[in-house]
Amino acid sequence: MIDDVLSIEHLTVAITASSQGKTVVSDVSLSVGRKEIVCVVGESGSGKSVTSFSIMGILSYGLAPATGSIKLLGEELIGASATRMRKLRGLRMAMIFQEPMTALNPVMTVGDQIAEIFRYHRPEMSASDVRLRVRSLAEDVRLPDPANIVRRYPHQLSGGQRQRIMIAMALALEPALLIADEPTTALDVTTQKQILELICDLVARRGIGVLFITHDFGVVAEIADRVVVMRSGSVVESGSAHDVLTQPQQAYTRSLIDAVPGSKLPKARDVADHVVLRVENLSKTYGDSSGLFGPAHNTAPALLNASLSLRKGEILGIVGESGSGKSTLARCICRLQTPSSGDIWLGDINIARMHENKLRNYRKAIQVVFQDPNRSLNPRLRIGETLVEGARNFGASARVASERSRRLLDLVGLDDSALDRFPHQFSGGQRQRICIARALASEPDILVADEAVSALDVSVQAQVIELLEDLRQRLGLAIIFITHDLRVAGQLCDRLIVMQSGRIVEQGPTGRLFDSPSETYTRELLAAAPGREFLASARKA
Amino acid sequence: MVRFLFRRLLSIIPVLAIVSIIVFLALRLGPGDPAAILAGDSATPEMVAAMRAHLGLDQSLPQQFLHWVVQIAHGDLGRSITSNQPVTTLVASRLQPTLALAIATIIFSILVATPLGVLAAWRRGTWVDNLASGGAVIGFALPAFVTGYLLVFVFALKLQWLPVQGFVPLSEGFWPFGRHLVLPTLTLSTIYIALITRVTRASMLEILGEDFVRTARAKGLPERVVLFRHALGNSAIPILSVIGIGIALLLGGVVVTESVFSIPGLGRLTVEAVVARDYPVVQGIIILFSGVYVLINLAVDISYAIFDPRISY
């Protein structure tokens, strides 16, 4: 198999400090050929990133390959000297990462970060040659205005532009292997689509092999030639993309494919006519007050004339890319921010500009669940303490509050033993359940879920979505579900609002919006969702 | 940026105003009477009163304060009660030793402590780290007079490589100037090396876990470039802050070192003036120092913007 760019055989990675030889990756074999995209799919903790770091020789402190072989163009990497590995990194293999903001050095210009690869791998190149190469690389990854963009710092670029810089950097020395570790997970769908296209294009033009790590079978359906499915450090299934997608042999693979949001059609549901929330012409402009020194900052409104209504037991999805104003809208509705103008009617009371003192009584009617369950629970409070806090705040006695917290845990599918434990003792999905229980503690009419499932694995995502659906039915809860992922929204929401640049572009029942979107932007968003053709065919089947 | 500089420089005025009121009151409300000290042990109450009138200390506090403020506004810090020399002249004559010691200490500390902190973070948990971290604890714990006398004992008395004490101005040649400065600099540096090493290590440990450090390694860059350009460059802010605080503290810390090595600097001038209740001198020095503090803070803030393009004023 000399044609293989990469071939891994029986790789096992162990925790060096563990005397029992505890492993995080065991007996993994896979290969990547020229012009081939191999997707490694798995949930967090499946060992897919550890495998890729072993190839690059950049495993973090405390992990080391124990047995097996990794061959890059026939050269054995395990046991290779540090100097040799350093040479190979960049030259023969390169890697791009999930979060292009943190993967780039914030205090160096992006051009310098590309240039330094040449400086250390090709010391013979003159400074002007390096400059030319950097520019042509920026053109290769289709960055706008390459001459100027290379002089910027990472924070001055958009997420997609930063990922393009990462790709330019990876391609600098024309490596044979590109390892892409969830490179589009942190990007908007339309940007994701462009980056995926760029990678496919580079494979075709340059003949590189790509090891693409993802948790999203939608992405797999878009780009993969072959698929390797990993779970708990081992390969559970591998084969051609078509075979694995259409005839998965393992139940686990099947469940991952099924968990891709949007593989099920949203059901039409009856919703009561009782309107619990009405928002009229809500606008918000940040930094619109003039300072003591200097003129007022004239910033564009983050939210402009948004109007919507929400009925009891309804799930309303707000969809949009970053910067579309969806989070601002949510924060204004919860009055975490004060809107610049417009009305928010809770029944017949307008809370849009209500003073903080009076607002307190209405806060319990609207509760929020945030994106990252790891950061929205106080790490030093036991779950029990977190859960009673809200109820105690609004005057419930200690006994009533603790009784209620037990019921809440039961409601979100956790048992009593959770009360005495700390947040770090739970998994991400369990923590998000706790966050939901916390939000429900004050018995709200409206739950605002701000990207509440975006940080979770697909299978966990599906469970939390099921939970929200269940709560809506049992409690008649009205839910505002904010997401950048149209597929998730499609699966859960009765009605959708599509936002772009602070405005509501389109709104309507989910089925109607998916089948016959009237706005171009909605169509673009729908078209950009990865795996849509595959999902469409799966739905028909 | 220009407006930021202007605003910050303007802020010196309220700072100085508040500091001057506090200093003025603290000195006068505290125990001790310069007139009594000057008049001597055998003075009669009449002589002390006459002395007090001569010094203008018989006036009411607001009158004295007003008089002093008007003086400062004319750029005159007054005259020393004990030596009758202008305060500005006194301070100027003591400036060079302190400045030389301070600058040498800061430069030496940064040059030693930053690489040491980087190394300790890079080799976390190994003997290098333990040595650096353990050394830092000792550096914190050792008072300047202990370090100073230890160094004098070894290098000046036993080995006789360096002078025991004293100061030679730069005008008498760099060699004698430098030789006299070595031991005081080492003494004063101990605590700053300890401080900066600790902060560099902590800051580096945090940054070494960042994604862009992994990216730098994945690019195949040499480890020294990963450490010093990518990691240290991003650790600069906390290190700069602590260096800024260090410089500010230095002005106070220099007192003991100057006493140990008999260096005629500002630190010793301050102690002498406080002991003699020499109000104008103490006031003058403190006003001067507080102005310097504001400028150091400003310099630190500007250095933030130089090291981190995300910060702009």
Side-chain angles (χ1 to χ4, degrees):
Chain A
M1 292 262 276
I2 210 76
D3 256 6
D4 280 348
V5 175
L6 172 79
S7 95
I8 299 180
E9 272 159 35
H10 308 296
L11 175 72
T12 296
V13 178
I15 299 170
T16 47
S18 155
S19 51
Q20 296 96 37
K22 203 164 178 274
T23 62
V24 284
V25 162
S26 61
D27 199 26
V28 166
S29 299
L30 59 89
S31 67
V32 180
R34 280 184 209 284
K35 282 198 174 194
E36 191 180 38
I37 300 181
V38 175
C39 281
V40 178
V41 195
E43 299 190 286
S44 26
S46 63
K48 54 194 198 305
S49 287
V50 172
T51 306
S52 63
F53 292 161
S54 322
I55 303 167
M56 293 294 286
I58 51 170
L59 278 173
S60 50
Y61 190 73
L63 291 178
T67 56
S69 133
I70 302 174
K71 284 204 172 88
L72 179 69
L73 299 169
E75 181 177 349
E76 179 59 58
L77 298 187
I78 289 183
S81 75
T83 328
R84 182 65 192 155
M85 283 304 286
R86 185 172 78 66
K87 272 231 164 60
L88 291 174
R89 288 199 288 268
L91 196 62
R92 297 273 164 77
M93 55 185 175
M95 187 159 180
I96 56 177
F97 301 93
Q98 174 168 351
E99 180 47 81
M101 179 72 232
T102 58
L104 287 167
N105 185 337
V107 306
M108 272 172 88
T109 64
V110 291
D112 276 349
Q113 296 189 52
I114 302 175
E116 68 176 351
I117 298 180
F118 296 109
R119 212 167 295 142
Y120 294 103
H121 285 279
R122 296 250 194 282
E124 73 282 358
M125 274 175 80
S126 72
S128 60
D129 283 352
V130 170
R131 248 196 319 276
L132 282 176
R133 278 292 287 139
V134 170
R135 252 184 83 168
S136 79
L137 278 167
E139 277 165 32
D140 270 5
V141 294
R142 293 186 234 130
L143 278 163
D145 193 8
N148 279 315
I149 211 162
V150 296
R151 275 187 245 132
R152 307 252 191 95
Y153 290 96
H155 70 278
Q156 297 166 320
L157 306 184
S158 73
Q161 289 173 336
R162 288 193 282 256
Q163 197 58 290
R164 282 170 198 273
I165 291 286
M166 285 298 293
I167 295 173
M169 217 151 75
L171 297 177
L173 302 171
E174 311 202 337
L177 175 70
L178 174 67
I179 300 174
D181 188 0
E182 306 248 13
T184 59
T185 309
L187 303 177
D188 283 326
V189 270
T190 48
T191 317
Q192 159 164 294
K193 185 166 186 254
Q194 292 162 7
I195 296 286
L196 292 179
E197 277 166 6
L198 176 66
I199 291 175
C200 291
D201 178 53
L202 291 168
V203 170
R205 272 194 295 153
R206 304 206 178 190
I208 54 175
V210 176
L211 188 69
F212 194 106
I213 291 157
T214 181
H215 65 273
D216 187 342
F217 259 107
V219 171
V220 174
E222 289 291 313
I223 61 164
D225 295 310
R226 283 193 298 123
V227 183
V228 175
V229 182
M230 286 187 73
R231 183 187 198 181
S232 322
S234 313
V235 173
V236 293
E237 180 165 2
S238 63
S240 81
H242 181 266
D243 290 351
V244 173
L245 282 168
T246 52
Q247 294 151 348
Q249 300 302 306
Q250 301 290 325
Y252 180 67
T253 312
R254 173 88 260 163
S255 72
L256 281 185
I257 295 175
D258 285 345
V260 173
S263 51
K264 279 174 277 173
L265 265 180
K267 299 171 293 221
R269 283 166 296 220
D270 294 332
V271 174
D273 277 341
H274 178 60
V275 172
V276 287
L277 173 79
R278 215 170 58 218
V279 171
E280 281 164 6
N281 292 319
L282 207 61
S283 296
K284 171 76 184 172
T285 307
Y286 290 103
D288 50 359
S289 60
S290 59
L292 186 59
F293 292 83
H297 302 280
N298 284 317
T299 44
L303 183 67
L304 195 64
N305 292 332
S307 300
L308 59 88
S309 68
L310 181 68
R311 287 168 297 174
K312 187 175 165 63
E314 183 181 41
I315 304 184
L316 174 66
I318 301 179
V319 195
E321 302 191 290
S322 39
S324 62
K326 58 187 192 300
S327 286
T328 303
L329 175 58
R331 277 181 218 137
C332 286
I333 289 175
C334 311
R335 276 300 309 272
L336 293 174
Q337 281 171 355
T338 306
S340 308
S341 65
D343 302 318
I344 303 168
W345 295 96
L346 267 183
D348 48 6
I349 292 149
N350 186 355
I351 61 162
R353 307 191 75 83
M354 189 181 271
H355 190 270
E356 189 63 39
N357 293 341
K358 277 177 76 184
L359 192 62
R360 220 179 139 261
N361 296 319
Y362 299 96
R363 284 221 182 274
K364 62 179 174 183
I366 307 182
Q367 287 290 320
V368 202
V369 178
F370 296 99
Q371 172 166 2
D372 192 342
N374 304 332
R375 286 189 292 183
S376 40
L377 287 169
N378 186 337
R380 289 176 195 284
L381 284 189
R382 288 171 204 281
I383 303 308
E385 295 170 273
T386 296
L387 289 181
V388 297
E389 202 174 37
R392 294 283 285 147
N393 238 342
F394 288 107
S397 74
R399 200 179 48 78
V400 170
S402 94
E403 182 49 41
R404 195 184 292 170
S405 59
R406 253 170 254 280
R407 275 211 320 278
L408 286 169
L409 278 180
D410 183 51
L411 202 61
V412 298
L414 293 172
D415 63 64
D416 282 6
S417 66
L419 288 172
D420 294 325
R421 291 153 75 195
F422 288 97
H424 70 264
Q425 294 170 298
F426 295 89
S427 70
Q430 288 172 324
R431 262 179 276 193
Q432 198 61 300
R433 283 170 193 274
I434 294 165
C435 288
I436 294 172
R438 205 260 328 131
L440 295 178
S442 68
E443 303 184 328
D445 302 322
I446 301 162
L447 185 71
V448 176
D450 189 357
E451 299 276 8
V453 300
S454 304
L456 305 174
D457 275 328
V458 271
S459 60
V460 182
Q461 200 172 52
Q463 291 163 15
V464 173
I465 288 175
E466 226 164 82
L467 171 66
L468 289 175
E469 170 65 49
D470 178 52
L471 290 174
R472 177 268 285 279
Q473 272 173 15
R474 280 162 65 182
L475 308 177
L477 203 60
I479 300 176
I480 296 181
F481 188 85
I482 293 151
T483 181
H484 66 278
D485 193 334
L486 210 54
R487 301 174 302 175
V488 179
Q491 190 170 332
L492 180 69
C493 303
D494 304 306
R495 262 186 324 125
L496 288 182
I497 288 181
V498 179
M499 292 193 67
Q500 185 190 24
S501 321
R503 289 158 214 265
I504 292 178
V505 185
E506 185 169 2
Q507 56 177 314
T510 307
R512 212 264 302 140
L513 218 79
F514 269 60
D515 293 336
S516 53
S518 57
E519 295 294 320
T520 329
Y521 181 68
T522 314
R523 276 198 288 277
E524 274 172 28
L525 273 187
L526 283 169
R532 105 200 97 89
E533 281 157 27
F534 166 71
L535 290 171
S537 64
R539 267 201 297 254
K540 281 188 199 103
Chain B
M1 184 70 176
V2 173
R3 192 160 69 201
F4 167 77
L5 278 180
F6 181 68
R7 271 214 314 256
R8 289 292 297 265
L9 287 175
L10 268 187
S11 77
I12 291 185
I13 296 169
V15 169
L16 290 191
I18 294 166
V19 167
S20 55
I21 293 172
I22 294 174
V23 171
F24 184 87
L25 287 179
L27 279 176
R28 278 158 182 80
L29 298 179
D33 181 356
I37 296 172
L38 262 188
D41 291 339
S42 55
T44 60
E46 290 74 26
M47 287 164 73
V48 174
M51 180 59 80
R52 195 171 291 135
H54 173 68
L55 295 172
L57 297 175
D58 55 344
Q59 295 170 315
S60 71
L61 279 186
Q63 271 177 322
Q64 288 187 40
F65 186 68
L66 193 71
H67 181 67
W68 182 56
V69 168
V70 170
Q71 231 181 16
I72 295 180
H74 286 90
D76 179 8
L77 290 177
R79 282 173 176 273
S80 160
I81 293 178
T82 41
S83 69
N84 203 31
Q85 279 182 305
V87 172
T88 35
T89 316
L90 268 177
V91 168
S93 70
R94 303 293 194 97
L95 200 57
Q96 199 204 35
T98 301
L99 213 57
L101 183 55
I103 291 173
T105 299
I106 286 300
I107 293 176
F108 180 71
S109 304
I110 294 174
L111 287 183
V112 172
T114 333
L116 204 62
V118 171
L119 205 66
W122 183 47
R123 288 277 168 254
R124 161 191 55 178
T126 65
W127 64 269
V128 183
D129 183 19
N130 294 338
L131 199 69
S133 304
V137 173
I138 297 174
F140 276 126
L142 278 181
F145 55 87
V146 174
T147 328
Y149 288 129
L150 269 175
L151 287 172
V152 167
F153 179 74
V154 176
F155 292 101
L157 299 179
K158 285 289 160 194
L159 297 171
Q160 303 209 330
W161 291 351
L162 293 162
V164 175
Q165 59 175 36
F167 176 81
V168 176
L170 190 54
S171 55
E172 289 174 30
F174 185 78
W175 180 240
F177 165 80
R179 265 168 55 88
H180 280 86
L181 216 52
V182 173
L183 290 185
T185 302
L186 285 178
T187 307
L188 193 53
S189 296
T190 344
I191 192 156
Y192 294 105
I193 292 176
L195 187 67
I196 299 171
T197 304
R198 292 297 297 183
V199 172
T200 307
R201 179 182 177 275
S203 177
M204 280 291 286
L205 272 184
E206 199 181 315
I207 297 290
L208 281 177
E210 294 280 338
D211 289 356
F212 60 81
V213 171
R214 190 178 58 192
T215 307
R217 291 205 173 110
K219 288 199 286 193
L221 299 180
E223 199 61 20
R224 79 188 139 79
V225 178
V226 174
L227 285 178
F228 284 92
R229 185 190 306 196
H230 289 274
L232 188 58
N234 278 281
S235 313
I237 301 282
I239 300 175
L240 286 170
S241 312
V242 89
I243 290 175
I245 297 167
I247 296 176
L249 290 176
L250 195 92
L251 299 172
V254 77
V255 174
V256 178
T257 308
E258 283 183 0
S259 303
V260 170
F261 291 97
S262 305
I263 297 171
L266 284 178
R268 279 182 63 205
L269 179 64
T270 315
V271 175
E272 288 161 14
V274 169
V275 171
R277 304 282 151 197
D278 197 338
Y279 294 167
V281 176
V282 178
Q283 286 165 180
I285 292 176
I286 292 180
I287 292 288
L288 187 77
F289 277 9
S290 47
V292 172
Y293 284 162
V294 175
L295 291 180
I296 289 172
N297 266 317
L298 183 60
V300 168
D301 284 347
I302 292 171
S303 72
Y304 287 168
I306 293 170
F307 277 87
D308 193 333
R310 288 167 297 183
I311 297 175
S312 63
Y313 301 110

